[in-house]
Amino acid sequence: MKSFFTFLILCFVAVGVQAQTNNSAYDKALADSLGADDYGMKQYILVILKTGPNTSTDKAQINKAFQGHMENIGKLVEQGKLIVAGPIGKNDKTYRGIFILNAKTKEEARAILATDPAVKAEFLDADLYDWYGSAALPMYLPIHNKLEKKKI
C-alpha cells in the first residue's frame, strides 16, 4: 500500500512539473524581466482619452497643451510607463485616443495621466479600465523606432 501512495505522489509531481513547463521555448529570465505570469500575460491599464470639459478657443493655450501632450508621451515611453498610444478616428463618441499604461492599478495610472498637460488643462479626459494582455507588448517599441522615417 505504501508503494502505491508513493507511486501516486510521483505521478502528481510529474504531472505538476509538466503543467508548469509545457512550453519548450519558455525563457524564464525574459518572462521575469517583463513581469509575465505563467501565461506570458500581465496587468495593464487601458486608457480611453476623450474630449475634456475645457472648451477654450484660445489657440495658443490649446497648442501649448497638445505640444506638451506629445512631449509627455515621449517621456512616458522612455520611462517604460506608456506601452501603446494612438489617436482614434472621428466617431460619434468624444473618443480621441488610447493609451495602454504599464501600471498595475488605476491609482498608479491616474498619477501617470496627471503628468499630461492636455489632461491637466482638461482638454482631454480619461476613462480607465483594467486590461490583461501579453507581457511582450513593450518589446514592439524598439522595432517601431526602426520603422518610422519621421519622429513626432
Side-chain angles (χ1 to χ4, degrees):
M1 187 75 153
K2 184 177 178 184
S3 63
F4 176 72
F5 286 120
T6 303
F7 172 74
L8 281 177
I9 290 170
L10 289 174
C11 287
F12 286 128
V13 168
V15 167
V17 168
Q18 182 180 356
Q20 292 175 8
T21 59
N22 64 358
N23 178 3
S24 62
Y26 177 69
D27 183 332
K28 182 176 179 1
L30 180 59
D32 289 348
S33 74
L34 293 170
D37 65 14
D38 286 348
Y39 302 99
M41 307 284 277
K42 68 178 278 181
Q43 181 67 44
Y44 297 96
I45 301 295
L46 169 66
V47 178
I48 299 194
L49 296 169
K50 57 189 183 180
T51 301
N54 188 339
T55 59
S56 171
T57 57
D58 180 337
K59 290 288 186 195
Q61 181 188 25
I62 295 167
N63 289 342
K64 182 178 179 185
F66 281 97
Q67 180 179 354
H69 169 73
M70 297 307 291
E71 290 168 359
N72 194 58
I73 285 173
K75 289 176 191 171
L76 294 175
V77 167
E78 287 174 13
Q79 295 168 0
K81 295 178 181 180
L82 180 61
I83 305 303
V84 172
I88 294 175
K90 292 195 181 225
N91 58 80
D92 60 350
K93 311 272 188 222
T94 60
Y95 298 156
R96 304 282 296 275
I98 67 161
F99 286 163
I100 295 178
L101 297 176
N102 195 8
K104 292 182 180 173
T105 66
K106 290 178 184 170
E107 292 75 26
E108 183 183 354
R110 283 186 192 94
I112 293 169
L113 289 173
T115 67
D116 189 303
V119 173
K120 279 188 208 176
E122 297 187 331
F123 287 116
L124 294 175
D125 198 1
D127 291 333
L128 284 67
Y129 301 93
D130 293 319
W131 187 71
Y132 184 66
S134 173
L137 199 53
M139 296 187 72
Y140 89 90
L141 290 168
I143 295 168
H144 175 79
N145 192 43
K146 295 176 182 181
L147 303 175
E148 61 184 337
K149 284 184 182 180
K150 297 180 181 180
K151 296 275 188 183
I152 295 176

